[in-house]
Amino acid sequence: MGHIILTGDRPTGRLHLGHLVGSISQRVELQNSGEYEQIFIEIADAQATTDNSGNIQKVKDNVIEVALDYLSCGIDPSKSTIFLQSEVPELSDLTFYYMNLVTLARLQRNPTVKQEIVYRGFESSIPVGFMTYPISQAADITAFNADIVPVGDDQLPMIEQTREIVRTFNRLYGETLVLPQAVLPKNESCQRLPGTDGQAKMSKSIGNCIYLADSPEEVTRKVMSMYTDPNHLKVDDPGKTEGNPVFVYLDAFCKQKHFEQYFKNSQTGELEYNDLDELKAHYERGGLGDMKIKKFLNYVLQDTLTPIRAKRRELENHISEVYQILFNGSDKARKVASETLARVKQAIGLNYRTDFELINSQVEKYNELHEMSEKKTKSR
Ligand code: ATP
Ligand code: MG
């Protein structure tokens, strides 16, 4: 049996460069490698309600945005099943049973959840649903028997939580659930792309993103106002490239072809910089201005985003069909999840309709009780 892959995104905004390098590129690669049995891609609208209960419209509006972004990046619905979480109610049932296998203290220790609580300004008013979302993610992953979950590194604690639930479940109720494994992008800069403001993570909820659907002008504006090394004030100052978002983005996006296209001297044919190491070395020793590297980054990003933007533009003329893709995917996903739920309930022992042994034993128990009481009455 080949691999089964599950990944997803919250429809809390359009997808950004962090999603592209952190997860979507890997999905497309896996999808096109053919080395898998099934790929499920979840638009986690139910999960997005956990921190948007007062703004469901935002979640609903972003479903189509995320779907358009997927398709324009090369997710192919004939190979990958794209579905809506809220269309698969079996996931809530699974979450309910898994909740008993996790302690509150364990949830409170989850570093990603802790960080997100700060970002969202919940302080002590944390919705219970939000607090338990790592459990619902375990339901999403196990419902489809996924063994591979391609994610950015902020998701590692979630996958660890899922693995603990799987182990506990299988120990208590017998081998039932598949143990999943997170797969991170090989390129370290892609595992957690920083925000344009220099914060550790580009994130929709923080609003420090370059979106895949941004216009060329918006991308240029955002790149040109990006945070760099705050101590690199004059061109001649030595600069830091490590942790400098402009260089992290270059690490994540630029390819050899970009040096050949952008840095070639039209007269001599020579390259001003042969590769990223040379560009970094120049910045570090001083003499290379922020403007110049930002212009190069802008060139690289425009080159990456132009085909995605064009595909999106075309898909925007077929919105009803895109919804239909989601509905078809959801029907397919629901079938698989309901099979898993039946297995899970059977393993726990909550399968009354098929538990003939239980029914027979109850019948026998009452027959015996009645026989005994009849004997007693006769003997009186
Ligand atoms: P939100 O702020 O609503 O949580 P988000 O921007 O964190 O949104 P998610 O939908 O939570 O996006 O994440 C979907 C997937 O994209 C996850 O696998 C996550 O690891 C990955 N991802 C998100 N942001 C980044 C990033 N900056 N770098 C790398 N991967 C990322
Ligand atoms: Mg997130």
Side-chain angles (χ1 to χ4, degrees), residues 7-24 27 44 47-48 51-52 58 116 119-120 130 133 137 149-156 184-185 189-195 200-207 209:
T7 54
D9 301 273
R10 294 152 41 87
T12 48
R14 290 175 166 187
L15 298 185
H16 53 64
L17 294 179
H19 295 117
L20 183 63
V21 293
S23 181
I24 299 198
R27 298 178 201 174
Q47 192 199 102
D51 54 335
N52 291 284
K58 168 176 142 188
E116 289 180 337
Y119 281 158
R120 286 161 178 73
F130 183 81
Y133 92 75
Q137 239 168 277
V149 191
V151 284
D153 82 347
D154 63 312
Q155 292 299 305
L156 290 180
L184 291 177
S189 306
C190 300
Q191 296 178 1
R192 183 179 302 211
L193 199 75
K201 183 176 174 270
M202 179 178 284
S203 163
K204 294 177 231 121
S205 302
I206 309 178
C209 308

Side-chain angles (χ1 to χ4, degrees), residues 204-262:
K204 294 177 231 121
S205 302
I206 309 178
N208 54 4
C209 308
I210 295 179
Y211 294 98
L212 303 183
D214 276 348
S215 68
E217 297 72 30
E218 275 169 312
V219 173
T220 306
R221 187 181 53 75
K222 289 180 181 176
V223 170
M224 289 307 169
S225 54
M226 257 176 88
Y227 176 93
T228 60
D229 172 3
N231 297 319
H232 184 248
L233 297 172
K234 291 197 274 351
V235 173
D236 287 337
D237 290 340
K240 256 181 68 181
T241 55
E242 212 189 302
N244 178 335
V246 176
F247 282 97
V248 180
Y249 289 17
L250 284 173
D251 263 327
F253 290 98
C254 85
K255 302 197 174 87
Q256 194 50 40
K257 69 167 187 178
H258 295 128
F259 286 89
E260 276 148 31
Q261 289 161 358
Y262 190 81

Side-chain angles (χ1 to χ4, degrees), residues 203-360:
S203 163
K204 294 177 231 121
S205 302
I206 309 178
N208 54 4
C209 308
I210 295 179
Y211 294 98
L212 303 183
D214 276 348
S215 68
E217 297 72 30
E218 275 169 312
V219 173
T220 306
R221 187 181 53 75
K222 289 180 181 176
V223 170
M224 289 307 169
S225 54
M226 257 176 88
Y227 176 93
T228 60
D229 172 3
N231 297 319
H232 184 248
L233 297 172
K234 291 197 274 351
V235 173
D236 287 337
D237 290 340
K240 256 181 68 181
T241 55
E242 212 189 302
N244 178 335
V246 176
F247 282 97
V248 180
Y249 289 17
L250 284 173
D251 263 327
F253 290 98
C254 85
K255 302 197 174 87
Q256 194 50 40
K257 69 167 187 178
H258 295 128
F259 286 89
E260 276 148 31
Q261 289 161 358
Y262 190 81
F263 285 121
K264 195 178 219 154
N265 183 312
S266 57
Q267 264 126 50
T268 64
E270 272 181 37
L271 299 187
E272 192 180 350
Y273 300 97
N274 283 300
D275 52 33
L276 192 53
D277 287 341
E278 284 189 18
L279 196 69
K280 281 183 181 173
H282 193 184
Y283 191 81
E284 282 167 5
R285 67 175 181 267
L288 176 58
D290 280 350
M291 229 8 148
K292 187 158 172 175
I293 48 162
K294 283 182 173 177
K295 279 190 180 157
F296 178 50
L297 175 63
N298 187 44
Y299 176 83
V300 170
L301 292 183
Q302 300 288 0
D303 184 62
T304 309
L305 294 176
T306 301
I308 297 176
R309 231 182 256 129
K311 183 87 196 285
R312 197 182 212 275
R313 184 71 197 83
E314 190 189 308
L315 287 159
E316 284 167 2
N317 296 322
H318 302 278
I319 296 295
S320 315
E321 285 99 317
V322 176
Y323 275 109
Q324 201 51 52
I325 289 173
L326 300 184
F327 299 147
N328 294 344
S330 300
D331 290 342
K332 205 169 147 195
R334 189 163 185 199
K335 259 180 93 181
V336 181
S338 64
E339 280 162 21
T340 305
L341 178 63
R343 251 190 309 120
V344 159
K345 288 178 81 174
Q346 166 120 17
I348 299 175
L350 298 174
N351 55 316
Y352 305 102
R353 287 172 190 261
T354 53
D355 195 347
F356 303 112
E357 210 176 298
L358 171 83
I359 298 172
N360 288 339

